[in-house]
Amino acid sequence: MMKIFVSSDMEGTAGVVDWEQCRASGDRYAYFCELLQAEVNAAIEGAMAAGAGAFLVNDAHGAMANLRPDRLAGRARYLSGRHKPLYMMQGLDASFDGVFFVSYHGSMDGAASALSHTYNPRAIAGVRLNGVSAGESGINALVALGHGVPVVLITGDRATAEQAAPFCPGIGAAFVKDSVSRFAADSLHPEEAREVIAEAAREAVLRLPDAVPPAIELPATLTVRFRNADLAEMATWINRVERTDELTVRVTDDDPIRLYRTFVAVVLLTRGIAE
């Protein structure tokens, strides 16, 4: 039975263009959670149509409790909650056949992408992986590489998919909106967005026999540029993280999962003083 790992964010959902739409404190949050849920389900249903039969959904946005487990398609397992050692990729292992990134977004240092950021918009200005600009998709692909599992689908806007492509060869994309700026996008109607996602997911599963793990040369180097010098200094408190200039640090490792875990530690530590 083919198994699919789904890492679900929220900012890439059709119609989402404002932080209040995807924060629990926002008046419209519940509505946009419903739209996210429908897109996650569309990805699962498309994968099922191509023969996939087992799913794990890692809720990876905010407090990581945005979905209704009783409404997940495919009787998917649901991994939710905070303080996961592998964060957005918790639960992935070598038993999975493919990875889906659903409702992902671009990075602030790339082309216009609605609500662009990289893990923490108050702290991180940009990340490069082996010298190439990397959003959350590229960074998260390190975990997929560590387990030898291909990343075969990403949903969101075009800029987000283009950022994933250098690290995930052959990745399929479902474009559900065109970003105009960081806070504006032209989105498909939710029903059409779900249809586009379902078809892209079906095609992604059909391509699995020829899919390959992420193409990231090891040892790999993550270079993180912060929004102020205090954050860069704090990041160096973590072993093997070295400063390259006032705002930038880097870390290199031949183990992609250990490299990812170091990055997560940097994110969580610097979050304490980000303003």
Side-chain angles (χ1 to χ4, degrees):
M1 180 183 297
M2 283 188 290
K3 292 176 62 179
I4 301 297
F5 177 87
V6 180
S7 174
S8 70
D9 209 342
M10 190 169 185
E11 291 88 352
T13 302
V16 170
V17 293
D18 187 87
W19 295 120
E20 292 306 306
Q21 294 173 325
C22 51
R23 288 176 174 164
S25 58
D27 294 339
R28 295 167 291 168
Y29 166 72
Y31 168 71
F32 286 97
C33 280
E34 291 177 6
L35 294 185
L36 169 63
Q37 180 111 29
E39 291 194 2
V40 170
N41 282 344
I44 293 173
E45 289 161 358
M48 291 174 64
F55 303 88
L56 172 62
V57 176
N58 177 1
D59 191 329
H61 172 76
M64 305 184 183
N66 306 284
L67 303 175
R68 284 277 302 269
D70 61 320
R71 293 184 182 174
L72 282 173
R75 302 187 116 185
R77 290 158 46 210
Y78 181 50
L79 201 168
S80 59
R82 295 175 291 170
H83 308 308
K84 304 167 185 170
L86 289 178
Y87 216 93
M88 300 181 79
M89 299 300 285
Q90 186 68 40
L92 181 65
D93 60 35
S95 70
F96 286 88
D97 297 283
V99 173
F100 288 0
F101 291 154
V102 175
S103 192
Y104 268 48
H105 54 81
S107 64
M108 277 194 290
D109 61 343
S113 182
L115 300 181
S116 59
H117 66 282
T118 306
Y119 273 79
N120 184 357
R122 294 187 300 168
I124 295 175
V127 177
R128 301 184 80 82
L129 176 54
N130 287 346
V132 179
S133 180
E136 293 178 2
S137 58
I139 298 166
N140 294 349
L142 286 165
V143 181
L145 173 62
H147 291 297
V149 182
V151 181
V152 293
L153 177 68
I154 189 166
T155 79
D157 66 9
R158 189 172 302 276
T160 301
E162 289 175 350
Q163 283 189 337
F167 309 104
C168 305
I171 189 171
F175 305 125
V176 301
K177 57 187 176 185
D178 289 319
S179 292
V180 176
S181 70
R182 193 167 181 239
F183 297 103
D186 178 356
S187 296
L188 297 178
H189 185 280
E191 290 181 5
E192 185 175 359
R194 294 193 286 270
E195 291 170 358
V196 168
I197 290 170
E199 178 59 21
R202 186 186 72 84
E203 293 175 355
V205 171
L206 291 176
R207 291 194 304 271
L208 273 176
D210 299 317
V212 296
I216 302 170
E217 185 177 353
L218 298 174
T221 298
L222 279 173
T223 305
V224 184
R225 186 169 181 82
F226 291 98
R227 298 186 68 172
N228 65 62
D230 290 348
L231 293 163
E233 169 59 27
M234 179 174 277
T236 64
W237 298 355
I238 295 172
N239 189 38
R240 296 182 300 107
V241 177
E242 60 181 24
R243 202 163 180 176
T244 60
D245 63 37
E246 289 298 319
L247 298 177
T248 310
V249 302
R250 70 183 173 199
V251 57
T252 300
D253 207 316
D254 57 5
D255 182 333
I257 295 178
R258 188 168 58 202
L259 179 59
Y260 176 83
R261 288 172 65 101
T262 301
F263 173 76
V264 168
V266 167
V267 170
L268 295 179
L269 180 62
T270 56
R271 183 167 289 163
I273 64 168
E275 297 178 359

